[in-house]
Amino acid sequence: MTTQNEWPLWEVFVRSKAGLDHKHCGSLHAPDAKMAIQLARDVYTRRQEGTSVWVVRADQIVASDPGDKDMYFDPMEDKVYRHPTFYSLPDSVNHM
Amino acid sequence: MQASIQLKKDPGVQYLLRLADTCLILAQRLGEWAGHAPILEEDIALTNMALDLVGQARALLTRAGQLAGQEGEGFDEDQLAFLRDERDYLNLTLVELPHGDFAHTVLRNAMVATLLKLLWQRLQDSGDAELAAIAAKAVKEARYHQEHAADWVVRLGDGTDESRARMQAALKALWIYSAEMFDADAVDEHAGASGLGPRWSELRDEWHAEMREILAAATLEPPADSAFRSEGKRGRHSEHMGYILAEMQHLQRAYPGGVW
């Protein structure tokens, strides 16, 4: 058996604290979703980094094409009015 | 060579050592998997469990050592782990058996984790406050160990022809060692009567019910009862035990009192 064939790749997202968003922290091989959650817990959250784990099969993720980078992302850069940066946030608002 | 320590024969201490040694020797066996598991992620999972078990053993040995000395002089966890002879080790025979293939390993993990989970649940109400605190922490770990191991038992038992055959072989080889867990004796009786912890024999039905559920999900049947009784928890071990201790204790015996 080759694990490449039978153990698909899963991407792992961990939420470190309640209120924050899930962050992609890596990937792993696992036979199915339940085992992927268990193994993600062992591999990525053993030092209490997390409160919640998402796993998703890597082949379910659709990524943007690097070739489209200019078209997709560049036009925003020189238009400051697109960015809400002219407000000062109160100190009590975290994680923005 | 460093001489062995002698413990006074105290049933409370023996009760603690049965649990501590079972955790320690299973941890030693799981440690042998490091770098050899079927896949990297499972390698990490197995050694994580070994580390949990070492932590549980350390806490228990420390507590046992406080109670175990002659005339008020206790022992520390290292003395208890590295300077006891085979006959003074009181782990279940089940955990000292070679780790075998992956099916043997996960079935044994499921059997032991189920027992430990039931024990820790009840030990949270121990009359010994320290033991109750250890149990409160350990029960969370044992719950995870049981779930992870049981999932593998189901996957292999209800997997391919090959994995099923291996799980059946593991069941045949290991199941007969489960009877030892629930054999009643004076140590158990003392623990139950003094409020230290449950008699292991009280857990028999619950353990069988949980194991039957796991095996049923794996489309397997528990083997029939056998008259065979292992007696590791009374210090009478299989031929495998001496080798484990020789390897585990070598450095401490060769360099007495070495600080590490």
Side-chain angles (χ1 to χ4, degrees):
Chain A
M1 144 181 161
T2 69
T3 51
Q4 298 301 328
N5 291 340
E6 303 197 11
W7 285 41
L9 189 67
W10 300 76
E11 300 298 331
V12 180
F13 301 79
V14 173
R15 180 161 72 183
S16 55
K17 276 193 275 195
L20 295 191
D21 44 6
H22 286 74
K23 281 209 168 56
H24 182 241
C25 62
S27 55
L28 50 75
H29 287 278
D32 60 30
K34 191 175 179 208
M35 193 59 81
I37 289 271
Q38 290 182 17
L39 294 176
R41 173 265 188 195
D42 279 325
V43 176
Y44 292 110
T45 73
R46 278 290 291 188
R47 289 163 294 277
Q48 295 182 321
E49 294 93 337
T51 59
S52 165
V53 178
W54 289 347
V55 295
V56 59
R57 271 185 67 148
D59 60 13
Q60 296 295 308
I61 291 178
V62 182
S64 61
D65 185 342
D68 291 337
K69 184 166 172 282
D70 290 355
M71 175 177 83
Y72 270 39
F73 307 114
D74 260 4
M76 277 77 110
E77 245 179 34
D78 56 354
K79 296 175 184 134
V80 290
Y81 51 83
R82 284 179 170 273
H83 308 295
T85 53
F86 300 101
Y87 307 93
S88 51
L89 282 176
D91 291 339
S92 54
V93 177
N94 295 321
H95 311 306
M96 285 279 286
Chain B
M1 189 178 125
Q2 176 81 319
S4 299
I5 56 172
Q6 294 303 320
L7 306 180
K8 61 180 180 192
K9 298 281 177 223
D10 177 277
V13 171
Q14 288 176 332
Y15 183 83
L16 286 174
L17 288 179
R18 286 178 176 183
L19 188 52
D21 294 347
T22 295
C23 293
L24 182 63
I25 299 300
L26 183 58
Q28 181 76 5
R29 282 301 192 203
L30 289 177
E32 293 171 1
W33 274 103
H36 299 276
I39 192 166
L40 174 66
E41 288 82 353
E42 188 58 29
D43 204 89
I44 295 172
L46 286 175
T47 41
N48 270 336
M49 274 179 247
L51 289 172
D52 286 342
L53 289 165
V54 166
Q56 293 166 13
R58 288 187 60 187
L60 289 165
L61 287 175
T62 298
R63 185 64 187 134
Q66 290 164 354
L67 308 170
Q70 312 274 11
E71 282 132 30
E73 272 204 30
F75 296 108
D76 68 20
E77 50 178 316
D78 285 340
Q79 289 173 298
L80 284 172
F82 296 124
L83 298 177
R84 265 184 304 151
D85 285 328
E86 181 178 333
R87 289 299 295 258
D88 295 320
Y89 256 87
L90 304 180
N91 53 282
L92 295 171
T93 305
L94 177 63
V95 297
E96 76 204 33
L97 303 175
H99 63 57
D101 64 8
F102 190 60
H104 277 72
T105 287
V106 296
L107 178 65
R108 170 164 65 187
N109 282 352
M111 292 167 70
V112 177
T114 301
L115 175 72
L116 291 180
K117 187 193 77 174
L118 295 172
L119 274 171
W120 291 127
Q121 279 174 347
R122 281 164 185 73
L123 285 169
Q124 293 178 88
D125 304 321
S126 168
D128 182 318
E130 190 135 341
L131 182 56
I134 297 168
K137 185 168 181 297
V139 70
K140 299 173 199 157
E141 297 169 344
R143 274 180 52 210
Y144 178 74
H145 296 183
Q146 185 197 28
E147 179 178 307
H148 187 70
D151 276 1
W152 274 120
V153 171
V154 174
R155 277 177 172 74
L156 297 183
D158 193 19
T160 64
D161 290 346
E162 169 77 12
S163 73
R164 181 179 176 76
R166 284 177 181 243
M167 187 47 76
Q168 278 172 325
L171 200 53
K172 187 161 181 271
L174 298 178
W175 193 258
I176 51 172
Y177 291 93
S178 64
E180 175 189 347
M181 298 173 179
F182 311 111
D183 273 342
D185 64 8
V187 171
D188 255 358
E189 186 50 41
H190 171 86
S194 67
L196 181 60
R199 299 169 184 85
W200 290 22
S201 55
E202 291 168 14
L203 309 173
R204 184 195 316 257
D205 292 345
E206 253 178 291
W207 185 88
H208 276 278
E210 293 199 16
M211 284 306 300
R212 258 200 308 277
E213 201 174 311
I214 294 166
L215 292 177
T219 69
L220 297 167
E221 292 268 331
D225 285 343
S226 147
F228 171 77
R229 283 292 183 282
S230 53
E231 295 195 298
K233 68 179 184 183
R234 300 198 180 91
R236 291 189 283 275
H237 292 281
S238 71
E239 68 273 26
H240 306 290
M241 189 65 187
Y243 294 98
I244 297 176
L245 294 185
E247 186 176 28
M248 206 173 89
Q249 298 182 338
H250 159 72
L251 210 58
Q252 202 39 237
R253 299 280 192 179
Y255 299 97
V259 178
W260 62 292

